[in-house]
Amino acid sequence: MLYHVRMDVLIPTDMDADKVNELKATEKALSQKLQEQGKWRHIWRIAGQYSNFSIFDVESNEELHDIMMSLPLYPYMKVEVTPLLRHPSSVRSDDS
């Protein structure tokens, strides 16, 4: 199942800088692992914001939920999830 996910990261301005850097490094490592596994299909930065649009390819709502909850920055995120399915007018039969 494909999902379009918008993540807006809202780290408190008074959070310890070392803690923020640790969270970011752990988040990056996990996101890259999920990308290599094919579960986090795409990630795009939204210009001028600490936000991204991502495409996840997972088996279920529950798997996406578990992935999102495992992200170190999740407690500091506003997340919007949109399930996706192929449009009948698409000229492609795959996700290319």
Side-chain angles (χ1 to χ4, degrees), residues 32 37 43 45 59 67:
Q32 290 178 340
Q37 293 173 350
I43 183 169
R45 170 82 63 213
E59 293 297 318
I67 287 171

Side-chain angles (χ1 to χ4, degrees), residues 16 21 27 31-33 35 55 68 80 82 89-90 93:
D16 178 72
N21 291 334
E27 178 99 4
S31 75
Q32 290 178 340
K33 177 182 173 186
Q35 289 174 67
I55 301 294
M68 297 305 300
E80 295 178 20
T82 305
S89 297
S90 177
S93 60

Side-chain angles (χ1 to χ4, degrees), residues 1 3 58-69:
M1 298 177 70
Y3 296 88
V58 294
E59 293 297 318
S60 66
N61 294 336
E62 183 176 8
E63 184 179 11
L64 178 64
H65 177 77
D66 290 345
I67 287 171
M68 297 305 300
M69 296 296 291

